[in-house]
């Protein structure tokens, strides 16, 4: 037991999972969270007796023996109740009025897609094989061994999603259908690497689940584990500065006045926010400029719907709709063309649910749309802001009504969230859905390292690897491997899954 004092900034999935791994290995862990509620994008909130999730709405690869299931067992999350999505239609993609169902599993997926596109069976099979190959080639995503990812510079990590699909598939509609879940990673044409698409597709195609009772159950469980190992999780404790001497960080300042000594500081925040806390010559101006210029993924507008009792049958699928055409380019819109697409889901209160009590409609929204309220805070944005939200919400509700007749009549009430809301409650940069954007044209320039030039200051969370539950947990393993070795962590994962 080393007893090193580790301060973790931020209680999102990355901060909490990193805290669990280090605490179980003898580090003296304290997680500081500036808000009253822990969890970051795992947070939930309740309105009029109905519980809503803010960020993590469903997970994949959580069936026994699959990658996320193994990680959840390692992190003592195997008691979290999960409700499996429809295995024949975990995702439904609607384009131009036609619906396409995604089935779990290789053979089922190929059969179902080939029924829609019989002339493309061979290319669909080849596509699926590539998806599996890219994912399995990454040791970090397959958990097959404790080596570093050896394929980071291969073709599929440097080629665009649309470029690879163009080389495989002739049918334009099929190519659009296969990227119908773009809102899960906010991909951009000619920029987002195919590997990111492959990881997401493989993750959910193995299996897909909702968290019964809400995603905050994960945050609560991880925080309990940290405390059980002797650590602390402290809400309402904002880290305002990281204090350094000439060679390293020596502690942090809390709420502008309290000094907490630390041997190690790990930040589960946007790298630009981390650099604002570091006043040291160890961070070069050129690096600060590069990080401050990093482009983030788009933000979104959310309509949280409370349904009337026993009125809305539970939708055990995720529904993506693109009435205007392709899933590509939905972030480039005008007032007249918004929304170009949306994602509609129900929240799961219990396994084998029959009726939905709440749901959400998500559509891309650029932060620029909120420029007139940029300097405002929650609850202080005025009547014009409320009118803006209501107008946008009504548009989205009308869009869903076109696909699900009776939807509007089933609504008891609804609540909205803009990119400003998301930024203020979850701490994400500019309300970005998934943090720093991946861009093949920038190469390594868009990658955020988990280590900084301050030797005992590191990063964890969605910005250093990828977003989503698996991406963030893989990032936590990368960060903790610097302190424990990857072999140690993988050995512990194997032991937890015996």
């Amino acid at each position: 037991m080393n007893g090193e004092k580790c301060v973790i900034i931020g209680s999102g999935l990355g901060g909490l999972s990193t805290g669990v791994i280090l605490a179980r290995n003898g580090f003296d862990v304290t997680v500081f969270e500036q808000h009253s509620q822990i969890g970051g994008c795992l947070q939930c909130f309740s309105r009029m007796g109905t519980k809503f999730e803010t960020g993590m709405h469903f997970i994949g690869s959580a069936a026994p023996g699959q990658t996320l299931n193994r990680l959840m067992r390692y992190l003592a999350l195997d008691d979290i109740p999960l409700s499996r999505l429809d295995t024949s239609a975990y995702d439904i993609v609607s384009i131009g009025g036609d619906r396409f169902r995604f089935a779990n599993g290789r053979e089922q997926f190929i059969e179902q897609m080939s029924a829609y596109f019989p002339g493309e069976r061979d290319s669909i099979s080849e596509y699926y094989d590539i998806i599996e190959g890219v994912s399995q080639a990454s040791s970090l995503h397959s958990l097959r061994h404790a080596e570093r990812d050896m394929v980071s510079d291969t073709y599929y990590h440097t080629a665009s999603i649309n470029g690879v699909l163009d080389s495989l598939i002739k049918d334009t509609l099929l190519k659009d259908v296969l990227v119908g879940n773009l809102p899960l990673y906010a991909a951009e044409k000619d920029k987002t690497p195919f590997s990111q698409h492959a990881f997401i597709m493989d993750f959910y195609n193995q299996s897909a689940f909702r968290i019964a009772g809400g995603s905050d159950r994960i945050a609560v469980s991880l925080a309990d584990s940290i405390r059980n190992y002797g650590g602390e999780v402290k809400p309402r404790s904002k880290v305002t500065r990281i204090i350094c001497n000439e060679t390293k960080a020596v502690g942090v300042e809390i709420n502008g006045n309290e000094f907490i000594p630390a041997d190690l500081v790990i930040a589960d925040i946007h790298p630009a926010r981390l650099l604002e806390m570091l006043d040291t010559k160890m961070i070069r101006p050129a690096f600060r400029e590069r990080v401050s210029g990093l482009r983030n993924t788009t933000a979104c507008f959310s309509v949280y719907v409370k349904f009337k009792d026993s009125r809305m049958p539970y939708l055990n699928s995720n529904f993506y709709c693109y009435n205007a055409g392709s899933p590509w380019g939905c972030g480039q819109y005008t007032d007249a063309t918004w929304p170009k697409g949306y994602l509609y889901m129900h929240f799961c209160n219990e396994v084998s649910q029959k009726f939905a009590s709440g749901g959400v409609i998500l559509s891309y929204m650029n932060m620029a749309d909120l420029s007139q309220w940029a300097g405002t805070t929650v609850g202080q944005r005025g009547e014009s802001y409320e009118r803006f939200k209501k107008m946008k919400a009504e548009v989205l509700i009308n869009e869903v009504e076109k696909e699900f007749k009776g939807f509007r009549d089933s609504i008891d009430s609804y609540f909205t969230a803009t990119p400003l809301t998301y930024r203020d409650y979850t701490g994400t940069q500019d309300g970005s859905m998934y943090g720093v954007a991946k861009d093949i044209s920038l190469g390594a320039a868009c990658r955020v390292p988990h280590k900084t030039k301050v030797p005992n200051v590191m990063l964890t969370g969605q910005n250093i690897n990828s977003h989503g539950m698996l991406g963030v947990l893989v990032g936590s393993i990368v960060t903790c491997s610097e302190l424990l070795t990857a072999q140690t962590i993988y050995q512990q994962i194997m032991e937890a899954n015996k």
Side-chain angles (χ1 to χ4, degrees), residues 17-18 21-22 475-485 489:
S17 58
T18 297
I21 296 170
L22 294 181
S476 297
I477 292 173
V478 170
T479 298
C480 293
S481 294
E482 290 294 328
L483 305 165
L484 303 170
T485 77
I489 297 173

Side-chain angles (χ1 to χ4, degrees), residues 61 131-132 135-136 197-206:
S61 297
I131 294 294
E132 281 192 320
S135 298
Q136 288 300 308
H197 170 79
F199 291 142
I200 295 292
M201 286 295 293
D202 180 73
F203 181 51
Y204 292 111
N205 196 260
Q206 288 190 42

Side-chain angles (χ1 to χ4, degrees), residues 58 86 89-93 100-102 181 184 317-318 320:
F58 59 102
D86 186 346
Y90 67 92
D91 279 350
I92 301 173
V93 175
F100 304 89
R101 301 156 70 92
F102 285 49
N181 63 358
L184 299 184
S317 308
N318 308 306
Y320 307 80

